[in-house]
Amino acid sequence: MSHPVPTRRHALTAAAGVTAAASLAATGLTAAPAAAAPPAGPTPLRNDKLKEALRRQQARRRRLLTNRPSANGWEMENETDASGSIWTYGIEGTPGPLTVALRAGDVRTVLVHVVRRFHYEIDALGTHGEPRPVEGWIPPTDIRDSRLPESNRASGTAVAIRPGSYPPGARGAFTAGRHLVIRDIVADTEGVVRWGGDDRRPSEGLFYVAVRPGDPRLARVAARIRSWEETPGRGAGVLVDMTQPSRKRRAARYA
């Protein structure tokens, strides 16, 4: 078989290649290897699958949210424990412990603090199988008037302690000594939480967030309460003397 005869151009090309390789070797460099192909990424969702996932998410949000605020400006929600803002939490220190459905985050921190202080310092909750010792969220369909403080329960921003024992409209459920404790509890929150007993139409078992969403006071108070929970001798469960002049003056600011 005959072989092609190298031409002068072939010879020059080969010589140039040898010269380039020699030059690299002389400088201690080597030719860079060809870049490897990038690893294959995850297979993107097809448009129809993505659209279906978005449709389901939007349907869940429509089912969950109401676009209606409760009296304090927080949005009411139709369900709890359903990927929304309202979840069921245990109340540390109570039998069981008791549970309550509240808005997650700072709202939960301040309202659970209120319930725990009530339990420790006013009257123990949930003893001897007591029914309905504390309740939080209720469905918006149970709200007669969203302008009333009771509507705040539907946004997860209120708790009702013994709702069957302290009916709305009634006064006189607490002694003067227990009033002092309630005033001190409200002062712990710097007025971020309001006691329903101070409303024109009283609801003495109701405690609710009295600031709008985004109010910086809520975050500040919640951070302080969390720091108490991490400090021995501070927070709920530590008995204090409410008759101290300094505490009485502090409480009077939020009466």
Side-chain angles (χ1 to χ4, degrees):
M1 176 183 297
S2 62
H3 298 278
V5 178
T7 65
R8 176 178 176 79
R9 185 178 62 182
H10 291 155
L12 289 174
T13 303
V18 170
T19 302
S23 298
L24 286 172
T27 59
L29 300 175
T30 57
T43 304
L45 287 175
R46 292 177 56 188
N47 284 342
D48 54 349
K49 291 183 179 180
L50 181 59
K51 289 178 181 178
E52 177 61 20
L54 290 174
R55 188 195 65 77
R56 288 196 301 267
Q57 182 183 31
Q58 291 168 353
R60 282 196 300 270
R61 289 187 63 80
R62 284 195 299 270
R63 185 174 65 248
L64 181 66
L65 302 179
T66 63
N67 293 317
R68 294 168 51 210
S70 58
N72 59 6
W74 296 76
E75 184 172 5
M76 295 187 282
E77 295 189 9
N78 288 318
E79 299 178 35
T80 65
D81 307 306
S83 301
S85 302
I86 303 173
W87 296 84
T88 300
Y89 298 97
I91 304 172
E92 185 179 353
T94 60
L98 300 175
T99 61
V100 62
L102 296 170
R103 184 171 289 267
D106 293 337
V107 169
R108 170 213 165 262
T109 297
V110 297
L111 289 178
V112 167
H113 175 75
V114 168
V115 175
R116 292 183 69 213
R117 281 203 63 184
F118 188 103
H119 171 72
Y120 288 130
E121 301 173 52
I122 295 179
D123 198 10
L125 300 171
T127 58
H128 310 297
E130 173 190 14
R132 302 175 65 201
V134 59
E135 294 182 353
W137 175 87
I138 56 175
T141 52
D142 289 357
I143 300 299
R144 293 188 301 107
D145 187 343
S146 61
R147 296 169 298 179
L148 296 177
E150 288 85 351
S151 70
N152 298 323
R153 291 181 60 189
S155 63
T157 58
V159 291
I161 294 176
R162 295 195 175 111
S165 300
Y166 309 132
R171 293 189 187 273
F174 299 106
T175 64
R178 289 178 172 178
H179 265 277
L180 279 178
V181 180
I182 290 173
R183 297 294 179 205
D184 197 76
I185 293 172
V186 171
D188 264 359
T189 73
E190 298 181 12
V192 163
V193 172
R194 180 176 173 85
W195 177 45
D198 286 331
D199 292 336
R200 184 172 61 180
R201 179 177 179 267
S203 183
E204 294 191 325
L206 185 70
F207 294 85
Y208 58 91
V209 172
V211 296
R212 298 276 172 175
D215 192 305
R217 289 174 293 174
L218 174 60
R220 184 180 68 242
V221 168
R224 189 174 69 246
I225 290 172
R226 285 191 288 269
S227 72
W228 290 343
E229 293 170 350
E230 298 169 357
T231 306
R234 302 295 300 273
V238 177
L239 297 180
V240 295
D241 182 3
M242 261 72 68
T243 64
Q244 291 178 350
S246 61
R247 294 193 79 95
K248 291 178 74 173
R249 285 194 300 270
R250 185 189 72 153
R253 292 201 296 269
Y254 305 105

